[in-house]
């Protein structure tokens, strides 16, 4: 089986898994809210997800050392499938009110398993795709991911009405089964398998060194260090787009009803998808002017957050997130390609991704609490102005490290 077929199985399987991730959360939130009528339980979902992904990113290297990237992907998806079977079973045959702890624990484990799968997928992509097509492929995957995020939530809402929350969870279980099977058809390149066989002849790392490897690789590789610092700053800045802050912004700044919160989210998602399409169409141009596009996009993203913070027009509040979205995804795709072409092994790359996940989710979680507190004190404009300052700092760091912003071929 050639690399092209393996890549097709990878993105199809991951796309079904991403759809299922949205559908089961929609079904579970609805199920729990029907029983508890509590917004607090609904707010636990993003908190649990963030904490689980953070801890998963910390310990993922132990699993990355033990399994091949393909086996880790399959094991992660199989584990999520079994967890959905458990969620579906207990929610169907038991009183939901008495098993809330079990359901939330399952949510935590699903997010934990995603923390294995994401680094493995990102590290496997450059093994299945030639480097001259990597930027285009990353744009394609970004477009697919954003299309799913844009469409799966409203589709999930429609399915809730037509088939009920319990049946939606069972539909997710079926999607996860198909996803697991598709990922099982992936064939890792012979060169990657050979690398793993060669590593078996080398004394294995102890647990401490294994956990440190991704972090040490980031620190010792200038391009990875610069991009990781920038992504850490971005994770703090991007907190402003979460529901808690956006809801206050719509109320205090726009003086509009809650429907505008949904409109702004749709505009942001549309911008992300447009960015994916533009990255796919103009991949060669982006690659040719990679350094300038990353730096210029970061400065412009900073300006969009500044503009959003001082804006009071509802219509501009739709246009600005659209621009922010497509600039962000083009920049992120370019940065992703730089990381994937760093001169390190596939296994080390997966550990780099797990370390980055831990940094991003940990920073995002802490920043959510901090910016929520600052919003209560200084109002809804302040977080966007602070976010703009963070992003401007990130742009300066990119300028200082511009010689490292390149795709290695």
């Amino acid at each position: 089986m050639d690399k092209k077929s393996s890549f097709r199985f990878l993105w199809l399987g991951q796309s079904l898994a991403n759809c299922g991730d949205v559908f089961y959360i929609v079904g579970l939130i609805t199920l729990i809210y029907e029983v508890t009528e509590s917004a607090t339980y609904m707010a636990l979902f993003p908190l649990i997800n963030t904490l689980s992904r953070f801890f998963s990113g910390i310990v993922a290297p132990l699993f990355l050392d033990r399994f091949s990237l393909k086996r880790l992907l399959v094991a992660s998806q199989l584990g999520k499938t079994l967890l959905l079977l458990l969620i579906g079973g207990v929610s169907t045959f038991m009183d939901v009110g008495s098993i809330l702890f079990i359901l939330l624990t399952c949510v935590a484990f699903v997010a934990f398993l995603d923390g294995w799968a994401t680094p493995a997928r990102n590290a496997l992509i450059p093994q299945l795709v030639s480097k001259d097509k990597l930027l285009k492929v990353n744009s394609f995957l970004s477009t697919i991911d954003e299309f799913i995020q844009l469409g799966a939530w409203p589709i999930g809402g429609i399915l809730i009405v037509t088939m009920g929350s319990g049946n939606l969870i069972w539909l997710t279980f079926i999607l996860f089964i198909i996803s697991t099977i598709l990922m099982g058809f992936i064939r890792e390149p012979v060169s990657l398998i050979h690398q793993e066989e060669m590593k078996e002849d080398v004394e294995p790392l102890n647990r401490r060194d294994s956990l440190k490897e991704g972090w040490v690789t980031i620190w010792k590789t200038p391009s990875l260090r610069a991009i990781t610092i920038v992504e850490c700053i971005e994770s703090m800045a991007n907190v402003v787009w979460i529901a808690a802050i956006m809801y206050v912004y719509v109320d205090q700044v726009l003086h509009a009803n809650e429907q505008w919160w949904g409109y702004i989210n749709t505009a942001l998602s549309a911008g992300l998808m447009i960015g994916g399409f533009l990255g796919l169409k103009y991949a060669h141009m982006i690659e040719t002017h990679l350094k300038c596009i990353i730096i210029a996009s970061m400065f412009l993203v900073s300006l969009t957050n500044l503009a959003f913070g001082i804006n009071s027009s509802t219509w501009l509040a739709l246009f600005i997130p659209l621009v922010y979205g497509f600039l962000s995804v083009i920049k992120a795709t370019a940065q992703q390609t730089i990381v994937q072409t760093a001169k390190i092994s596939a296994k080390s790359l997966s550990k780099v991704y797990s370390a980055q996940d831990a940094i991003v989710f940990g920073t995002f979680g802490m920043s959510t609490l901090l910016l929520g507190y600052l919003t209560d004190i200084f109002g809804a404009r302040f977080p966007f102005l602070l976010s703009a300052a963070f992003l401007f700092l990130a742009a300066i760091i990119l300028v200082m490290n511009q010689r490292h912003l390149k795709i290695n071929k």
Side-chain angles (χ1 to χ4, degrees), residues 309-350:
I310 62 178
N311 170 64
S312 297
S313 166
T314 51
W315 295 107
L316 275 178
L318 294 182
F319 176 73
I320 294 171
L322 189 74
V323 176
Y324 172 86
F326 82 76
L327 287 172
S328 294
V329 79
I330 288 175
K331 175 182 57 60
T333 300
Q335 290 174 186
Q336 168 97 316
T337 307
I338 292 172
V339 173
Q340 288 176 335
T341 59
K343 294 181 178 180
I344 56 178
S345 69
K347 193 67 84 172
S348 294
L349 180 59
S350 62

Side-chain angles (χ1 to χ4, degrees), residues 84-293:
L84 256 293
L85 177 61
L86 176 61
I87 291 172
V90 297
S91 61
T92 300
F93 300 108
M94 299 179 68
D95 175 55
V96 174
S98 64
I99 56 167
L100 287 176
F101 178 77
I102 295 175
L103 294 177
L104 293 174
T105 301
C106 288
V107 170
F109 277 111
V110 168
F112 187 83
L113 290 173
D114 271 332
W116 304 356
T118 302
R121 185 196 85 157
N122 290 337
L124 191 55
I125 289 169
Q127 305 301 320
L128 302 177
V129 178
S130 59
K131 289 186 177 181
D132 60 319
K133 295 181 179 178
L134 198 51
L135 184 60
K136 181 175 286 190
V137 163
N138 282 328
S139 297
F140 168 73
L141 292 174
S142 177
T143 304
I144 295 294
D145 288 347
E146 294 307 329
F147 180 78
I148 290 171
Q149 286 298 312
L150 186 62
W153 287 99
I155 292 173
I158 294 170
L159 291 175
I160 281 288
V161 174
T162 56
M163 63 192 306
S165 54
N167 288 330
L168 185 56
I169 291 173
W170 286 115
L171 174 62
T172 301
F173 173 65
I174 294 171
L175 292 178
F176 277 6
I177 290 176
I178 299 171
S179 174
T180 305
I181 293 171
L182 288 173
M183 290 182 184
F185 286 122
I186 296 171
R187 293 292 178 267
E188 288 182 281
V190 174
S191 59
L192 185 57
I193 297 173
H194 181 64
Q195 286 180 25
E196 300 306 317
E197 291 174 347
M198 292 288 289
K199 287 189 72 174
E200 290 179 3
D201 298 330
V202 181
E203 185 177 348
L205 296 173
N206 60 43
R207 289 186 177 182
R208 183 178 178 183
D209 289 339
S210 179
L211 292 172
K212 288 166 50 182
E213 185 179 354
W215 303 81
V216 171
T217 302
I218 289 173
W219 185 252
K220 289 184 176 180
T221 310
S223 60
L224 298 180
R225 183 172 65 243
I227 288 175
T228 302
I229 291 172
V230 165
E231 289 185 351
C232 178
I233 295 172
E234 283 185 284
S235 69
M236 292 188 287
N238 290 338
V239 167
V240 296
W241 299 100
I242 66 172
I245 293 176
M246 284 303 304
Y247 190 90
V248 178
Y249 177 89
V250 168
D251 179 50
Q252 292 185 358
V253 177
L254 300 183
H255 304 294
N257 58 41
E258 62 273 11
Q259 289 178 328
W260 279 89
W261 170 57
Y263 299 154
I264 291 171
N265 280 338
T266 301
L268 177 60
S269 297
L272 293 169
M273 192 162 27
I274 290 170
F277 278 119
L278 292 176
L280 187 60
K281 184 174 182 179
Y282 299 106
H284 179 71
M285 186 193 75
I286 294 172
E287 188 172 336
T288 303
H289 305 286
L290 186 77
K291 187 187 306 181
C292 293
I293 287 175

Side-chain angles (χ1 to χ4, degrees), residues 29-42 96-97 100:
I29 285 177
T30 305
L31 195 65
I32 290 175
Y33 188 74
E34 287 172 352
V35 174
T36 65
E37 296 185 352
S38 170
T40 302
Y41 280 104
M42 290 168 45
V96 174
L100 287 176

Side-chain angles (χ1 to χ4, degrees), residues 2-24:
D2 59 16
K3 291 183 179 181
K4 187 175 181 180
S5 298
S6 290
F7 174 70
R8 187 181 300 116
F9 287 128
L10 176 62
W11 78 259
L12 282 173
Q14 193 66 53
S15 296
L16 289 176
N18 290 343
C19 283
D21 287 337
V22 174
F23 288 166
Y24 106 87

